[in-house]
Amino acid sequence: MRSKTRILLAEDDPNLGTLLQEYLEAKDFETVLCSDGDKAFKTFSKQQFDFVLLDVMMPVKDGFTVAKEIRTINKKIPIIFLTAKSMKEDTLKGFDLGADDYITKPFSMEELLVRVNAVLRRTEAYQMATSDKQFFELGDFVFDHERQLLKYNDKEAKLTTKESELLHLLCLNKNGVLERNYALNAIWGDDNYFNGRSMDVYIAKLRKHLKPEPRIEIINIHGKGFKLLVS
């Protein structure tokens, strides 16, 4: 049984990559370094990892492409993007692909370590809090959280990771209030404005998925959060 957290690090700058690898290993993380996106995905496909650090701007395949491919294999593994960019659109794109955090270069080693540990704690806490119940009946819908499937009569919809996690929290709080800040911190890792905008988009997507069932409604609770009503 592995005791160390294994990190896949994809960074095309050899100096920075080596520096990050040595620092993380000094902090007791087993770290595998890849110099481009294609190598990173191939390595991820063949080995077991607990965490992924992806540079966005890489040769062969960029970090966003690699993250999308990783999510086809593993929906839950934590991912942090490393990038020299600071554009809001890239931040939202990263979270839309299922990123857990986003750190802009230049950053200190200490800041990276704090963020990695914070995501690990949050991921472990979320899994412990939500691991018990995976199937939910919502009127004529059946939601399979583990497989990220929403079934309605003879139709199935494959949900994204964020859609599935958000619907899972709503189901666990069915007919009660899901606090906005709790959901943002549990799923996005931060309750900042841009994550809030992103969550609103996912709420709209869930409403569209659930629209065929008139007994289900997701309502806004002003100043608090959301409520999944099932009659």
Side-chain angles (χ1 to χ4, degrees), residues 2 24 28 45 66 101 106 114 128 148 154 157 168 176 184-185 212:
R2 292 187 285 113
L24 289 168
D28 213 28
S45 302
V66 178
D101 205 351
V114 166
M128 288 180 63
Q148 297 183 199
D154 59 345
H168 194 202
L184 283 169
N185 282 297

Side-chain angles (χ1 to χ4, degrees), residues 9-203:
L9 169 62
E11 170 58 62
D12 67 316
D13 183 326
N15 294 325
L16 178 58
T18 301
L19 192 64
L20 289 172
Q21 182 182 31
E22 291 176 350
Y23 177 80
L24 289 168
E25 290 184 342
K27 296 300 179 181
D28 213 28
F29 292 102
E30 187 177 339
T31 308
V32 176
L33 174 63
C34 296
S35 58
D36 66 57
D38 186 56
K39 291 177 183 175
F41 180 68
K42 287 178 179 176
T43 301
F44 184 87
S45 302
K46 296 174 183 176
Q47 300 181 34
Q48 293 292 318
F49 291 96
D50 306 297
F51 207 101
V52 180
L53 294 171
L54 291 175
D55 183 24
V56 171
M57 300 300 292
M58 288 188 294
V60 189
K61 286 182 182 178
D62 64 34
F64 291 140
T65 301
V66 178
K68 190 173 182 180
E69 291 177 338
I70 283 175
R71 283 288 180 242
T72 65
I73 298 175
N74 189 318
K75 303 292 184 185
K76 300 183 183 299
I77 190 166
I79 297 174
I80 292 181
F81 284 115
L82 315 175
T83 180
K85 290 187 175 182
S86 59
M87 292 178 65
K88 298 168 187 175
E89 291 79 5
D90 286 334
T91 305
L92 291 174
K93 182 178 179 181
F95 286 126
D96 193 48
L97 289 169
D100 293 89
D101 205 351
Y102 194 101
I103 185 168
T104 303
K105 300 175 185 177
F107 53 83
S108 69
M109 296 295 177
E110 291 78 9
E111 181 185 2
L112 177 63
L113 181 64
V114 166
R115 290 184 182 233
V116 168
N117 283 328
V119 169
L120 283 171
R121 285 194 302 270
R122 187 169 69 246
T123 302
E124 290 168 3
Y126 177 80
Q127 289 173 349
M128 288 180 63
T130 62
S131 60
D132 292 338
K133 192 171 182 182
Q134 300 296 334
F135 289 91
F136 301 86
E137 292 185 2
L138 307 169
D140 287 334
F141 277 100
V142 176
F143 172 45
D144 181 344
H145 175 242
E146 186 65 30
R147 296 173 62 206
Q148 297 183 199
L149 285 177
L150 189 59
K151 302 177 183 179
Y152 183 70
N153 297 329
D154 59 345
K155 297 179 181 179
E156 284 188 352
K158 180 71 172 178
L159 303 181
T160 66
T161 299
K162 287 288 192 296
E163 286 173 341
S164 182
E165 290 179 354
L166 187 53
L167 183 56
H168 194 202
L169 288 182
L170 285 165
C171 288
L172 291 170
N173 291 274
K174 186 174 68 174
N175 294 323
V177 177
L178 172 62
E179 293 187 2
R180 185 179 182 86
N181 287 352
Y182 173 80
L184 283 169
N185 282 297
I187 300 174
W188 277 264
D190 195 313
D191 57 1
N192 65 45
Y193 171 78
F194 299 107
N195 293 347
R197 286 279 303 278
S198 179
M199 184 167 71
D200 290 337
V201 170
Y202 281 102
I203 288 289

